[in-house]
Amino acid sequence: MEEIHWADVIAEDLLKKSKKHRIATGITPSGHIHLGNLREMLTADAVRRAVIDKGGEAELIYIADTFDPLRKRYPFLPEEYEKYVGMPLSEIPDPEGCHKNYADHFLEPFLESLEILGIPVKVEKADEMYKEGRYEEAIRTALKRRDDIARIIEEVTGRKLEEDWYPFMPLCEECGRINSAKVTGFDDKWIYYRCSCGHEGKASYRGGGKLTWRVDWAARWKILGITCEPFGKDHAAAGGSYDTGKRLAREIFGIEPPYPIPYEWINLKGVGAMSSSKGIVIPVREFLDVLPPEIVRYIIIRVKPKKHIDFDPANLLELVDEFEEGIKKKDRAVELSLVGDVEYSDIPFRHLVVVGQIAKWDLSKVFEILERTGYKIDEKARRDVERRIKYAKNWLEKFAPKRLKFEIAESVDPSTFSEDEKRFLRTFAERLSDDMKPEDIHNLVYQVANELGLKPAKGFQAIYKAILGKNYGPRAGYFIKMLGIEWVKNRFMQISCE
RNA sequence: GGGCUCGUAGCUCAGCCAGGUAGAGCGACGGGCUUUUAACCCGUCGGUCGCGGGUUCAAAUCCCGUCGAGCCCGCCA
């Protein structure tokens, strides 16, 4: 039986309702946006592609909650940022001074990442939406129907709202905070408030504050015409924000709530759930230097949204193997992960990691070795290797387990070699000559070992020990050729003549 | 207390939604390749599908219950 990818299942569902879809995503740019956040984007994008593949229309909207207050001074912020707590992210200066404001600082690299990942989004910044008055009607509705909204929230969550609760958070013009003022009344023109800083004032319907989270969410569905939205499991819990949003959408705003796609967290192996506030984070942008976009997409798209992902950067090779296997089999998850018209050659990433190290990341040497190891280097392969070798290098440096790395030892101590090993190295070195091919060199190991009555394995070990200080290493023939016959001879003689 | 997910081979998991003879990869074991970084090829071993009930001609799959693990329910996805 053929297995249907989860994105296709959802797309089918969506298309039963309508041909056209707007899928919403939303991440608060309060800190580095990380791999966990990315799940929302990729879940949405996989569905978008699936809908289009089935002949529908779909687009992605990314709502940046730039008007949300800074909740606390996160560990990565300087002490003086204490004073900005409670102010909207869009109104706080960039902690590193390189962008227009705090929100943009984290937003921009993220948007750059989305582009690399091939995720086309229409970006909406919440602060701008409020300031432009796009929320105006919703705010009026919400204030007028305060009692109905309160009742719904109380019914769904089982918690009691305060008498003076309003679904609106005024932005205090005195202290600049958006989470400290209480609405005291409203008329057609203004919303009146009293702030905990002591200030009393009036707020505009355009940018003078924002709706509280649960109401805001339902309101934006209406304003933007959202038909589908992935969201974290926290919102999906019974009595959570989706449950209230659903009723608010129908009963207050008169729309059908979007098709929900709850998804699970991504755990960093051995560390825990990724969370910007806890500082457990690999910023997405950084990730994309280490892995090609299609692999990053695959990490997430291969798994059903409701299953949690344990992500272990050190184990990536297996995943890449699986991906490369999937290309051949035209696996759907792989198909949904490929970006643009990238073409893969048949050279495994795993192999590039080894070859790159031998070639010391010199491209022409890389090709030389690849050809020697039997790969045909045509245009396609050339482009592919040029692209992926960079990732191999970065991955190796950042995430790879130590055993995959090797380095030429500066020097080795001859006294750590046995007589047999020395004898082997000396004989081997004497027989080495410049005109030998890698294959000849490889064969020489067997010849010499046999002549000396040693097991070939012993010979190989001696060679690696002499070059790397470890008893294993890359294929001996081309490795030695690569290093230069003279150099190897010298090293071996030096050890064996001590 | 509520919600979600998971429990299938030694390990990682697929299969469950649309019931029809238990699958893959890795590992282990055996063999091959003039061992090479977690290379390749062939083969073998390996599972009471957490447990108990129910529905059915037929259940890993659907229903009820139960045990165990993880996560989420304070406006962080």
Side-chain angles (χ1 to χ4, degrees):
Chain A
M1 193 165 68
E2 201 176 319
E3 187 190 334
I4 302 170
H5 191 266
W6 59 262
D8 291 320
V9 175
I10 293 172
E12 291 284 358
D13 266 5
L14 287 175
L15 287 170
K16 276 181 212 153
K17 298 184 181 182
S18 155
K19 271 259 171 281
K20 263 180 99 163
H21 288 277
R22 301 190 99 188
I23 306 169
T25 58
I27 291 157
T28 310
S30 57
H32 280 295
I33 298 176
H34 50 81
L35 191 68
N37 300 129
L38 204 55
R39 186 163 204 180
E40 174 149 331
M41 307 309 297
L42 284 173
T43 302
D45 192 53
V47 171
R48 181 190 67 86
R49 282 205 196 177
V51 168
I52 292 172
D53 284 353
K54 291 181 194 312
E57 284 175 54
E59 64 175 331
L60 238 57
I61 311 267
Y62 170 58
I63 302 137
D65 287 312
T66 52
F67 218 32
D68 277 23
L70 180 65
R71 286 177 220 295
K72 62 171 188 179
R73 201 195 103 226
Y74 298 114
F76 55 84
L77 291 172
E79 243 169 72
E80 65 195 272
Y81 267 63
E82 204 67 60
K83 69 178 181 225
Y84 295 124
V85 171
M87 287 173 59
L89 300 174
S90 61
E91 314 302 313
I92 300 172
D94 180 343
E96 284 168 42
C98 43
H99 294 83
K100 206 170 73 204
N101 58 49
Y102 187 104
D104 278 7
H105 178 74
F106 294 110
L107 211 50
E108 207 218 313
F110 182 64
L111 294 178
E112 203 181 303
S113 307
L114 293 186
E115 191 156 342
I116 296 171
L117 288 162
I119 306 177
V121 287
K122 178 147 188 268
V123 179
E124 297 277 10
K125 296 184 186 175
D127 71 297
E128 290 173 3
M129 287 182 69
Y130 274 103
K131 289 167 191 166
E132 289 163 6
R134 292 209 267 160
Y135 267 101
E136 192 169 336
E137 193 196 321
I139 296 172
R140 289 185 194 281
T141 307
L143 288 173
K144 281 181 198 144
R145 302 197 53 192
R146 180 265 167 209
D147 292 347
D148 294 324
I149 294 174
R151 180 176 43 79
I152 291 170
I153 293 179
E154 286 177 345
E155 279 174 16
V156 176
T157 64
R159 116 191 140 200
K160 194 87 186 108
L161 292 175
E162 289 167 37
E163 283 297 315
D164 56 356
W165 180 87
Y166 271 97
F168 187 79
M169 304 195 295
L171 174 61
C172 176
E173 55 197 339
E174 190 64 29
C175 70
R177 285 181 293 170
I178 199 167
N179 62 355
S180 305
K182 291 209 150 168
V183 173
T184 53
F186 64 94
D187 57 31
D188 251 13
K189 285 195 75 163
W190 304 103
I191 300 153
Y192 302 92
Y193 66 85
R194 183 183 306 117
C195 183
S196 61
C197 74
H199 182 72
E200 285 189 39
K202 53 187 188 184
S204 147
Y205 280 91
R206 299 178 162 234
K210 69 186 291 289
L211 292 169
T212 53
W213 159 242
R214 286 167 194 257
V215 184
D216 181 297
W217 203 20
R220 71 169 64 155
W221 291 339
K222 174 168 188 170
I223 297 166
L224 298 169
I226 303 305
T227 59
C228 171
E229 178 163 354
F231 48 82
K233 57 144 71 174
D234 52 340
H235 296 311
S241 23
Y242 185 73
D243 276 357
T244 40
K246 218 159 55 181
R247 288 193 54 188
L248 292 174
R250 292 191 179 123
E251 297 169 38
I252 304 296
F253 296 111
I255 54 159
E256 262 308 290
Y259 182 100
I261 312 176
Y263 61 87
E264 256 284 356
W265 305 151
I266 295 178
N267 290 311
L268 201 50
K269 183 81 177 242
V271 186
M274 295 207 196
S275 149
S276 359
S277 52
K278 286 183 208 141
I280 304 172
V281 154
I282 303 172
V284 171
R285 192 59 193 79
E286 204 171 299
F287 227 77
L288 289 168
D289 290 333
V290 181
L291 292 172
E294 65 273 16
I295 299 295
V296 175
R297 290 179 65 103
Y298 185 67
I299 291 169
I300 291 170
I301 290 177
R302 65 191 274 274
V303 181
K304 289 188 188 109
K306 282 217 269 208
K307 296 187 79 163
H308 85 257
I309 296 176
D310 273 318
F311 180 66
D312 181 357
N315 256 359
L316 270 173
L317 275 191
E318 276 173 26
L319 204 73
V320 175
D321 282 346
E322 187 185 304
F323 179 88
E324 287 167 354
E325 194 59 31
I327 288 181
K328 291 176 205 151
K329 291 196 293 212
K330 297 212 183 307
D331 176 76
R332 180 63 173 154
V334 166
E335 206 173 282
L336 287 169
S337 300
L338 286 166
V339 178
D341 48 8
V342 165
E343 276 191 295
Y344 264 67
S345 66
D346 58 351
I347 303 164
F349 188 75
R350 189 183 280 282
H351 194 57
L352 288 179
V353 168
V354 177
V355 174
Q357 289 183 90
I358 300 172
K360 293 214 153 64
W361 309 105
D362 178 321
L363 249 187
S364 54
K365 279 188 190 159
V366 166
F367 285 120
E368 205 179 307
I369 297 170
L370 284 173
E371 289 200 296
R372 190 151 52 229
T373 45
Y375 289 101
K376 220 173 51 244
I377 305 297
D378 53 15
E379 252 319 292
K380 179 172 132 189
R382 180 168 289 274
R383 267 201 313 273
D384 177 49
V385 170
E386 277 175 13
R387 186 178 82 95
R388 288 194 299 149
I389 192 86
K390 293 192 297 249
Y391 294 115
K393 178 168 189 272
N394 291 341
W395 175 75
L396 195 79
E397 281 164 7
K398 274 217 161 113
F399 292 140
K402 282 169 236 63
R403 56 189 306 197
L404 287 184
K405 301 182 194 177
F406 59 79
E407 216 176 334
I408 314 303
E410 282 300 323
S411 62
V412 280
D413 179 3
S415 67
T416 59
F417 288 78
S418 69
E419 276 314 308
D420 276 350
E421 286 170 333
K422 287 183 179 177
R423 225 153 33 93
F424 175 86
L425 290 175
R426 192 182 324 125
T427 317
F428 186 80
E430 282 165 4
R431 302 270 194 87
L432 264 183
S433 65
D434 271 337
D435 55 349
M436 288 174 91
K437 292 199 173 80
E439 224 183 295
D440 303 329
I441 299 171
H442 187 77
N443 288 334
L444 186 63
V445 179
Y446 290 91
Q447 270 177 39
V448 173
N450 287 335
E451 278 174 34
L452 299 180
L454 296 169
K455 281 192 172 167
K458 280 278 168 206
F460 281 105
Q461 278 171 21
I463 288 171
Y464 296 122
K465 213 166 132 188
I467 299 171
L468 304 171
K470 309 198 282 194
N471 55 8
Y472 56 89
R475 279 177 185 277
Y478 65 81
F479 191 42
I480 289 171
K481 184 79 179 173
M482 214 59 236
L483 291 165
I485 304 290
E486 274 315 302
W487 185 92
V488 174
K489 277 182 122 160
N490 284 338
R491 165 69 60 100
F492 287 5
M493 289 313 264
Q494 194 189 322
I495 292 165
S496 55
C497 297
E498 189 81 357

